[in-house]
Amino acid sequence: MTLEPHFDDAHSAGEARRAVREGVGVALATSAYGISFGALAVASGLDLWQTCVLSLVMFTGGSQFAFVGIIGAGGLAAAPSAIASAALLGVRNVAYGIRMSPVIGAGFWRRAAAAQFTIDESTAVSLAQRTQRARTLGFWVTGLGIYVGWNLSTLAGALLGDVLGDPRAYGLDAAAAAAFLALLWPRLRARQPIVVGVAAAVVATVLTPVVMPGLPVIIAAVVAIVVGWTNWLGKDEPADAAEPDDVAEREGLP
């Protein structure tokens, strides 16, 4: 009998550590952008408490920015449009919830808690991992880390908005997108995911100036649905070409 860890155990531990590192890194990058939201919300007419409650309850950056942007431009009369735009942007989280359900596991309270933290970044970090344990850790570390960091930075931005000036001058608006792209890039190993990524980006870019906020994201997602449904460009590729190391999916996750 030996006390040396089995290879699979050591491998699993390494994957778990990597998931935690990625989760913390993405949380730090995304949380920094909360300063921009806090400053913008106060500049748009919300007071300190309204700004903080919005981050605590809504907790989805795209919806929050859409809401305060429309309120800032149209005042209270624009509230219905602001709510509609924020809701449309939040629809994508429903799809994330369906995808993350096997990762979260059973149990009402666990799923109820996970619903608040099911966002772009927590989903991306989780699905980028190769084992079930790493996926679970990636989800919770990223979701909880961003929730705490986002709300703290929202408070800081709301308090220091006048001192900071335009937060976009610091490049914080690019931090979250850069972190998300870093997670996505290693997945683009075959023709099909590359085509999906490029096509969705083009669709979203073209539609953003001409349709209401939220719709470009939903319409761009249709590109992935159509390609996945028809398996376009994937028929001649090896079954594991797109995700060669995705152990968790081979073990039964959808």
Side-chain angles (χ1 to χ4, degrees), residues 33 35-37 39-40 161 164-173:
Y33 195 20
I35 296 175
S36 180
F37 171 74
L40 179 61
L164 290 172
D166 186 357
R168 290 173 296 183
Y170 301 98
L172 296 179
D173 53 334

Side-chain angles (χ1 to χ4, degrees), residues 2-254:
T2 178
L3 297 179
E4 289 295 324
H6 189 272
F7 173 78
D8 290 341
D9 295 334
H11 177 72
S12 178
E15 292 294 328
R17 287 192 295 270
R18 187 182 73 167
V20 171
R21 286 197 303 269
E22 290 183 358
V24 170
V26 171
L28 291 173
T30 304
S31 297
Y33 195 20
I35 296 175
S36 180
F37 171 74
L40 179 61
V42 171
S44 299
L46 274 65
D47 62 27
L48 175 65
W49 294 109
Q50 290 171 330
T51 299
C52 291
V53 167
L54 199 60
S55 278
L56 284 167
V57 176
M58 186 176 289
F59 186 53
T60 173
S63 295
Q64 290 179 230
F65 277 102
F67 182 86
V68 299
I70 296 173
I71 289 293
L76 188 60
S81 296
I83 294 172
S85 296
L88 279 173
L89 278 167
V91 166
R92 70 190 189 280
N93 290 351
V94 176
Y96 294 158
I98 296 172
R99 183 63 180 86
M100 293 303 299
S101 179
V103 176
I104 301 304
F108 173 79
W109 293 112
R110 178 184 295 180
R111 293 194 173 196
Q116 179 69 354
F117 308 119
T118 303
I119 55 176
D120 301 292
E121 292 82 5
S122 61
T123 302
V125 171
S126 178
L127 297 183
Q129 309 312 315
R130 300 170 182 170
T131 67
Q132 171 68 11
R133 181 165 179 262
R135 286 187 168 194
T136 303
L137 277 173
F139 173 83
W140 287 108
V141 169
T142 307
L144 288 168
I146 293 177
Y147 188 78
V148 173
W150 181 264
N151 281 283
L152 290 176
S153 60
T154 292
L155 175 61
L159 290 172
L160 302 174
D162 292 336
V163 177
L164 290 172
D166 186 357
R168 290 173 296 183
Y170 301 98
L172 296 179
D173 53 334
F180 196 87
L181 182 60
L183 289 168
L184 175 65
W185 189 259
R187 316 286 284 189
L188 304 181
R189 298 179 178 180
R191 287 177 300 169
Q192 191 178 71
I194 292 173
V195 169
V196 170
V198 172
V202 170
V203 169
T205 302
V206 170
L207 293 180
T208 294
V210 297
V211 301
M212 67 184 301
L215 283 179
V217 176
I218 297 173
I219 296 173
V222 174
V223 173
I225 294 173
V226 171
V227 173
W229 187 273
T230 61
N231 197 28
W232 184 49
L233 294 179
K235 297 176 182 177
D236 299 327
E237 294 178 348
D240 61 347
E243 297 180 279
D245 299 317
D246 205 335
V247 176
E249 291 199 359
R250 294 177 187 170
E251 293 173 352
L253 288 180

